[in-house]
Amino acid sequence: MSKITIPRQIIRALWLLEKEGFPAYVVGGSLRDALMGNPPHDWDVTTPALPDRMLEIFTAAGYTTIPTGLAHGTVTVLVEHTPIECTTYRIDGEYTDARHPESVRFTDRIADDLARRDFTVNAMACRLPHIAKWDENEPALAQGLTVSADELEIVDLYGGREDLSRGIIRCVGDPATRLTEDALRILRGVRFCVQLGFSPDPATEQALFDCRAGLSHISAERIAAELTRTLACPLPCGDGLRLMSRAGLWQYILPEVKNSNISKYFECEDDLLCAVDSLPNCAEMRLALLLCGTDEAGAKAACRRLKLSNKMTEAVSSYVGAIDRSCPKTEAETRRYMAALGAYAEGALAVAAACHADEKKGYEAALTRAGAIRARGDCLAVADLAVDGKMLMKELGLRGRAVGEMLAKLLDVVLEDAANNEKEILLRIAGEM
Ligand code: ATP
Ligand code: MG
């Protein structure tokens, strides 16, 4: 029987609501993760208390509250810096834009609230029996609580626990209806399959395919957030990527995966997806590999379309731009490669290795050399040279552009042989030049 651990901060929020006569449930992804023995990264509570009443209760107890989404019933309370999202039981109104309900209505039945949730494993709630009777001295309020699941009152109206134990992602209610209401659920569904190592129920998988056109209504930011979270999962993502292919999702999220240039590196899409899976769980590297059919500019354009951060865009486009650079074979070539790619060098080598299966050994050797070069701290940039512009001006009388040009030449000398990075040697070489 699974045990679940609820930290004292969450227990406190539940207790404050229950003491005032409002049932308070841990709900959704936080209960799912806790039942699986994974500490939830965010905690959600659902209760019939209206938002204003929650604000009153938490404020009176001395906690900071944030009116996150009062109209949707959500109040965030900070208990010892832990944010807890507390939402009034609600029924979502009609969906007209494939993403947001037109309106929401509060209800006093938890069953109504669970019915609006996306997947069975996300549609469970649990409550601590007797918590309303606790006083301030109850140890769990100070220490948190680890209890076996059967000591909790669990509301599971859709077979969530069974799906959790069988590893199934299944929509609550009719899959086509639920995925049409909010197409973001399509990508959430794929992400949960990858994150949890689950498979979609057949009817849900069919609906992923049937409802995919709804993705054209989903904002780039949302698509990007789900895609990067999927790619960054520590568990293998290959099955999830193949699910994206079977469900015809690439066209809506990353049409570049269908680019015919991919055949330069991979015989078929499945080989590409296997290669993505073989990379470390770094979203930038994996995304770059998915974009290998484009070039640096094409990768940048795809990142811009997805509204990814500048930092991520730079990483992804650098990796893609380096795919066809020749594999460095010597120490000097490796240093030159690292000088050109800066912090992206190792990632670029790994992405290129995935594209050029026939040169895998060569790339592995280059990665090993790059590790040793970093560990030794070999000079890889002008700023790391043993001489600087001032010295060149003072010792050699150089001025203006000549200074920068000389530094670039000296860097080249040092990249060729790291032992040259000594002040006397560099000044002598500069003098001879
Ligand atoms: P994670 O936090 O890892 O993204 P989660 O399941 O906790 O997973 P949240 O976005 O934190 O996802 O949402 C909490 C809960 O709210 C979900 O478990 C689900 O019950 C419900 N939910 C969130 N987004 C949707 C949605 N688009 N449609 C229906 N229910 C949703
Ligand atoms: Mg969550």
Side-chain angles (χ1 to χ4, degrees):
M1 179 56 65
S2 48
K3 286 207 170 235
I4 94 162
T5 297
I6 310 179
R8 62 173 185 272
Q9 296 89 337
I10 319 307
I11 299 263
R12 169 93 33 192
L14 298 171
W15 177 64
L16 289 169
L17 292 165
E18 293 265 4
K19 243 173 9 120
E20 296 299 323
F22 298 105
Y25 290 87
V26 170
V27 69
S30 39
L31 178 57
R32 173 201 71 218
D33 289 342
L35 283 169
M36 293 183 77
N38 304 326
H41 62 89
D42 51 13
W43 287 88
D44 295 308
V45 168
T46 188
T47 175
L50 292 174
D52 285 343
R53 192 74 181 93
M54 287 194 264
L55 287 174
E56 249 172 51
I57 293 171
F58 295 132
T59 311
Y63 294 105
T64 303
T65 52
I66 307 164
T68 316
L70 286 190
H72 291 90
T74 306
V75 165
T76 302
V77 56
L78 289 178
V79 181
E80 298 171 41
H81 307 292
T82 300
I84 304 158
E85 275 210 354
C86 303
T87 305
T88 311
Y89 299 163
R90 67 174 215 229
I91 299 175
D92 289 341
E94 241 190 277
Y95 285 76
T96 48
D97 65 351
R99 174 70 192 110
H100 300 102
E102 282 281 278
S103 57
V104 302
R105 203 150 44 88
F106 298 135
T107 157
D108 53 9
R109 290 171 9 128
I110 188 162
D112 294 335
D113 184 87
L114 297 180
R116 75 176 170 88
R117 296 176 182 271
D118 47 7
F119 302 104
T120 58
V121 294
N122 290 346
M124 294 180 280
C126 84
R127 184 180 175 200
L128 291 165
H130 320 302
I131 186 172
K133 298 196 198 99
W134 292 358
D135 65 21
E136 180 67 48
N137 300 320
E138 176 70 30
L141 286 167
Q143 295 154 19
L145 199 61
T146 298
V147 285
S148 89
D150 56 1
E151 288 174 67
L152 296 165
E153 178 197 323
I154 296 188
V155 186
D156 174 15
L157 306 175
Y158 302 100
R161 287 194 78 186
E162 163 117 26
D163 286 345
L164 207 56
S165 69
R166 289 169 51 219
I168 299 288
I169 292 297
R170 187 157 55 95
C171 285
V172 169
D174 173 55
T177 307
R178 302 310 311 288
L179 301 184
T180 305
E181 281 173 356
D182 176 1
L184 183 67
R185 292 174 188 152
I186 295 173
L187 299 184
R188 282 173 59 86
V190 175
R191 167 165 63 90
F192 290 128
C193 284
V194 174
Q195 248 173 9
L196 307 172
F198 282 18
S199 307
D201 175 73
T204 293
E205 176 165 343
Q206 182 63 45
L208 294 175
F209 177 81
D210 293 340
C211 305
R212 67 195 185 286
L215 286 171
S216 55
H217 300 284
I218 302 299
S219 73
E221 290 89 343
R222 290 289 191 153
I223 289 181
E226 289 300 330
L227 180 62
T228 51
R229 286 183 75 178
T230 303
L231 294 177
C233 281
L235 286 180
C237 66
D239 285 347
L241 298 178
R242 279 184 282 279
L243 176 58
M244 298 240 205
S245 296
R246 285 201 304 281
L249 307 187
W250 293 120
Q251 173 189 350
Y252 299 93
I253 59 175
L254 204 64
E256 289 81 357
V257 170
K258 298 286 173 188
N259 192 314
S260 58
N261 283 337
I262 291 206
S263 62
K264 256 170 73 184
Y265 311 109
F266 298 99
E267 270 183 26
C268 59
E269 191 174 299
D270 201 53
D271 286 356
L272 166 67
L273 303 183
C274 285
V276 173
D277 207 10
S278 73
L279 283 175
N281 64 323
C282 160
E284 288 84 350
M285 285 162 62
R286 287 180 166 178
L287 183 55
L289 191 48
L290 289 171
L291 292 171
C292 70
T294 65
D295 55 11
E296 188 162 347
K300 201 170 261 173
C303 293
R304 295 265 180 259
R305 184 188 69 232
L306 288 168
K307 302 210 166 87
L308 294 174
S309 67
N310 289 340
K311 196 167 161 234
M312 196 162 177
T313 301
E314 187 178 287
V316 172
S317 54
S318 300
Y319 296 154
V320 173
I323 290 175
D324 285 336
R325 256 178 193 268
S326 53
C327 175
K329 300 201 170 47
T330 62
E331 287 270 328
E333 282 178 20
T334 309
R335 275 192 294 271
R336 284 185 207 290
Y337 187 102
M338 294 170 79
L341 278 137
Y344 303 125
E346 286 85 342
L349 286 169
V351 172
C355 286
H356 301 284
D358 48 335
E359 285 185 84
K360 194 160 181 266
K361 285 234 147 58
Y363 279 104
E364 278 168 6
L367 271 168
T368 308
R369 276 194 303 275
I373 288 169
R374 290 253 191 248
R376 274 199 312 268
D378 283 4
C379 165
L380 298 171
V382 164
D384 306 327
L385 283 172
V387 295
D388 60 17
K390 272 199 196 118
M391 290 181 206
L392 295 183
M393 283 154 76
K394 185 165 166 242
E395 306 282 334
L396 301 171
L398 293 181
R399 291 288 174 270
R401 269 196 18 216
V403 178
E405 284 167 8
M406 183 56 77
L407 287 171
K409 285 182 193 159
L410 293 178
L411 176 61
D412 202 56
V413 164
V414 168
L415 292 175
E416 185 58 35
D417 182 353
N420 284 330
N421 199 21
E422 301 279 346
K423 187 176 163 189
E424 291 70 34
I425 301 178
L426 292 179
L427 286 177
R428 179 175 52 73
I429 295 175
E432 287 165 7
M433 280 180 182

